[in-house]
Amino acid sequence: QVQLVESGGGLVQAGGSLRLSCAASGGIFSAYVMGWFRQAPGKEREFAAAITWSYGNTNYADSVKGRFTISRDNAKNTVYLQMDSLKPEDTAVYYCAAKRGAVAVTAPSYNYWGQGTQVTVSS
């Protein structure tokens, strides 16, 4: 059973940085795509970034491109989301997700989800 556990959320001022971590277990992840999504109050869950576990190919939403960086540590089975130049509109619950196969940017495409971690950016 694949399990994903996020950590690293918190409160930060606008312009600051946070690094989220997603520890994965229960699977052989070389064939997986790992994604980060976020959901603000009253809004739908939206794609932020994704990475292929095997080759490290990345994909970003336009809203975070140039500010967020997704990476993975194969030895630790952990995926990271480095968030820089944070804005108040980045405030959301951030979720780690996993799927087999090709990169996807829609939430229903992902089979496994973590519990989420809150990120709050104050102005």
Side-chain angles (χ1 to χ4, degrees), residues 32-95:
Y32 279 70
V33 171
M34 305 298 294
W36 284 99
F37 287 77
R38 63 187 186 181
Q39 188 165 19
K43 295 188 176 182
E44 293 188 354
R45 193 168 298 189
E46 66 172 8
F47 171 78
I51 188 167
T52 60
W53 204 286
S54 55
Y55 295 105
N57 297 328
T58 58
N59 187 288
Y60 296 95
D62 288 343
S63 58
V64 307
K65 198 172 295 182
R67 301 187 299 120
F68 291 10
T69 304
I70 189 171
S71 62
R72 87 269 190 247
D73 184 328
N74 290 352
K76 296 183 178 179
N77 269 8
T78 300
V79 176
Y80 303 98
L81 186 67
Q82 177 67 41
M83 305 186 295
D84 298 318
S85 302
L86 283 162
K87 305 175 182 179
E89 51 263 45
D90 294 319
T91 295
V93 177
Y94 282 71
Y95 296 91

Side-chain angles (χ1 to χ4, degrees), residues 4 6 22 33-37 95-99 110 112-114:
L4 306 174
E6 303 100 332
C22 172
V33 171
M34 305 298 294
W36 284 99
F37 287 77
Y95 296 91
C96 178
K99 68 179 295 292
Y110 287 75
Y112 306 99
W113 292 86

